[in-house]
Amino acid sequence: STLFPYTTLFRSIAVCDDEENALRQVRSVINKLSVVDEAEYYSDMDVFMERINTGIYYDIVMMDID
């Protein structure tokens, strides 16, 4: 059973992948879920690290680390 059926479980998620097609697929899935308030997508790891270094916090970070 779901513990919190009407609330958001994760407020923010970051997805990093250098392949735009992979980002589009992940974005499509996340947009269909109601468990994430906000998602950000990065195809450039340097841009992602700049955001992290400014103190931004994500509940979940998904990365392709090939």
Side-chain angles (χ1 to χ4, degrees), residues 10-16 26 30-31 33 35-42 48 56-62:
F10 304 108
R11 293 191 305 171
S12 62
I13 186 171
V15 181
C16 305
V26 171
I30 289 174
N31 286 341
L33 301 175
V35 296
V36 177
D37 275 345
E38 183 178 334
E40 294 188 17
Y41 305 89
Y42 299 94
F48 170 73
I56 193 162
Y57 171 81
Y58 297 103
D59 294 317
I60 298 174
V61 175
M62 297 170 50

Side-chain angles (χ1 to χ4, degrees), residues 2-60:
T2 304
L3 293 176
F4 305 102
Y6 301 109
T7 61
T8 301
L9 298 178
F10 304 108
R11 293 191 305 171
S12 62
I13 186 171
V15 181
C16 305
D17 196 311
D18 59 352
E19 292 187 31
E20 289 294 327
N21 188 41
L23 285 177
R24 278 193 298 276
Q25 291 175 359
V26 171
R27 180 180 290 139
S28 174
V29 170
I30 289 174
N31 286 341
K32 292 176 185 176
L33 301 175
S34 61
V35 296
V36 177
D37 275 345
E38 183 178 334
E40 294 188 17
Y41 305 89
Y42 299 94
S43 59
D44 184 334
M45 185 59 73
D46 291 333
V47 174
F48 170 73
M49 291 308 298
E50 286 174 16
R51 294 279 288 161
I52 294 297
N53 288 333
T54 66
I56 193 162
Y57 171 81
Y58 297 103
D59 294 317
I60 298 174

